[in-house]
Amino acid sequence: MTINNKMEKLNSIRLRFTTGICFGGIGVIIFFISMGIFQAQAGMYLGLFLIVAGVLIGKGTHVKYQAIYKDLFAEEPLRKNFDDVFYAWKSGFSLQEVNDFELFPRGTEVKSEDYVKASFKGVYFQMADVTLIDMTKSGKSKNAYAFNGRILTFDFPDKAVSTIRIYSKEVYFRVKDNVMRTGKVKMESEKFNQAFDVYAEDAHDVFYLLTPQFMEQLIRLQRKYPHIAIKFQGNQVVVGFHDGKGSNSFDKTDWSNKVEYYEELAKVQSDINDVKNIINMICG
């Protein structure tokens, strides 16, 4: 199927979904008006008929739409930019994996999707959208999110440092359990200190890793992702972009608008470039 065919299919499914919503909405209005005002049995039957028709018309459109959209705007761009690509849009990180990253408060439930495993310049990475919930705090907060955004992990074969954690000032949560055994390190760059808090087991590793150029690149990344957290441990780097809304790396949630190919592709490419920039930043 060509790009044009896929685009036509996407918009055809969108129109079908919109039609189903219209039928169902009109049916609900007719049903309640007929039942509440006129007591008109014929109107109630018509309303029910339209509701059922709307459901049948829209049934299955979401899954079909997502499958084509992710093939067009996720898998194809990923394969053009990275090597060894494995993409599973219905899968993600497990609860155990997310908690083992030890970058965020531990959660009791996780929802994760849009899993990607690939490599760039010999560096293997994984990423997925993650909503991590701590139900032990559900009594205090309706939405007890420990983390809600995107998590990326990188394996650098030629890098190995002691545990270092970097948190932007805007990160709304504080992970005291993760940093209580480590010391806070103040960098020479006041600009960097205003943007980030750094905690480390060994300050020498911090100054070895956070060169002036590296710090400047982190500041630029933080402008795009204000709520950013990073953990270095051994040869692994874990990065979390918390947005509080539930990151959707490869999704189009607004079905009311027609899909514009180059506009959607640009959004995906921006996310892909972030991965490349992080790898280039750490590789030096």
Side-chain angles (χ1 to χ4, degrees), residues 108-165:
T108 57
E109 296 180 9
V110 71
K111 177 184 176 183
S112 185
E113 61 183 14
D114 280 313
Y115 175 82
V116 179
K117 183 176 182 181
S119 68
F120 179 68
K121 292 186 175 180
V123 176
Y124 281 87
F125 67 90
Q126 305 174 83
M127 68 177 180
D129 294 336
V130 174
T131 299
L132 181 66
I133 301 173
D134 182 4
M135 292 303 293
T136 63
K137 297 181 180 179
S138 60
K140 299 179 181 179
S141 173
K142 185 177 179 180
N143 296 312
Y145 294 129
F147 178 82
N148 199 9
R150 194 184 336 149
I151 295 178
L152 306 91
T153 73
F154 303 85
D155 292 309
F156 292 88
D158 58 345
K159 299 283 184 180
V161 296
S162 59
T163 302
I164 300 169
R165 291 181 173 86

Side-chain angles (χ1 to χ4, degrees), residues 49 65 68 78 104 106 120 146 181 193 246 263 278:
F49 172 79
Y65 187 94
I68 297 174
L78 286 167
F104 324 106
R106 294 183 68 83
F120 179 68
R181 296 182 299 275
N193 291 331
E263 180 180 326
I278 291 171

